[in-house]
Amino acid sequence: MAKKAKQNVDKIVKKVNKEFEKTSAQIEGLVNDALKQFDSLQNQVQEPVRKLLKEIDELRDREMKRFHEEFERRLNEFHELQSSILERLGVASKEAGDEVKKLTDEVSKEAKTAARDAAPKKTTKAPSGTKTAASKPSAKTPAAKKPAARKTPATRKAPATKAAKPVDRSDLTLIKGIGPATAKKMKEAGITSIDQIANPSAADQEKLKAFSNIKGYSQLGAEAKKVN
């Protein structure tokens, strides 16, 4: 009887252990499934977020690059304009100084000539009772009229200035809108004369297209024709 009861207890213990192992396996499977679903859901959420962050970074980089390029272009234009203005002011001041100096020299020279012509000439003392040609009043008349007949400095200034100031056709900065930096780039590209801009050939037109982004590009031809 005791032996039979022991066998029944062993069966019950085995059955309980088997059910416990089965239940444990089911719980472990459910936990694993839940973890997999959580990982999948996390990946589904993270992937769009990563993609969005990447697009934001790319957009920011593009905008910063565009901003820097635009800033550099505007800064270069400002420097070219500043250099052009300063250079033109310097040339104008130099030309004005040369004109004033030339006019002063002309006036000084004419004043010396007038003073020399107006001075009385020495004559040889003639014997008493005789008159020489130098002592006659008519001999002094030409000297008195000579200053009125001479040309003023203003009448001779224009021809002298034109002859002394030939236009340098290779100086591209004489064209309005072209500064030293742009002129240097144009010469490197093969545009070395004002005539190539005023009356460009087909090849020159192709070279000039590289500078179409500078301010006043459409007026360069007309401004070049004004330089003479």
Side-chain angles (χ1 to χ4, degrees), residues 34 57 67-68 75 91 94 100 106 134 150 183 192 221:
D57 290 337
F67 172 80
H68 284 301
L75 188 61
V91 171
K94 183 179 179 182
V100 170
E106 291 282 348
R150 68 177 182 273
T192 58

Side-chain angles (χ1 to χ4, degrees), residues 17-29:
N17 289 337
K18 187 176 180 180
E19 290 295 332
F20 179 79
E21 290 175 358
K22 184 178 179 180
T23 303
S24 297
Q26 289 177 351
I27 293 172
E28 186 175 357

Side-chain angles (χ1 to χ4, degrees), residues 67 69 95 104 183 226:
F67 172 80
E69 290 175 350
E95 291 178 353
T104 304
K226 294 180 183 179

Side-chain angles (χ1 to χ4, degrees), residues 3 9 30 32 42 44 50 70 82 94-95 111 116 127 138 145 150 154 158 170 175-177 183 189 196 201:
K3 186 176 180 181
V9 171
L30 291 173
N32 291 334
Q42 187 177 21
Q44 290 177 2
R50 283 196 297 265
E70 182 68 16
Q82 184 183 40
K94 183 179 179 182
E95 291 178 353
R116 185 173 61 251
S138 60
K145 292 182 179 180
R150 68 177 182 273
S170 64
I175 301 173
K176 183 179 179 182
Q196 289 178 269
S201 62

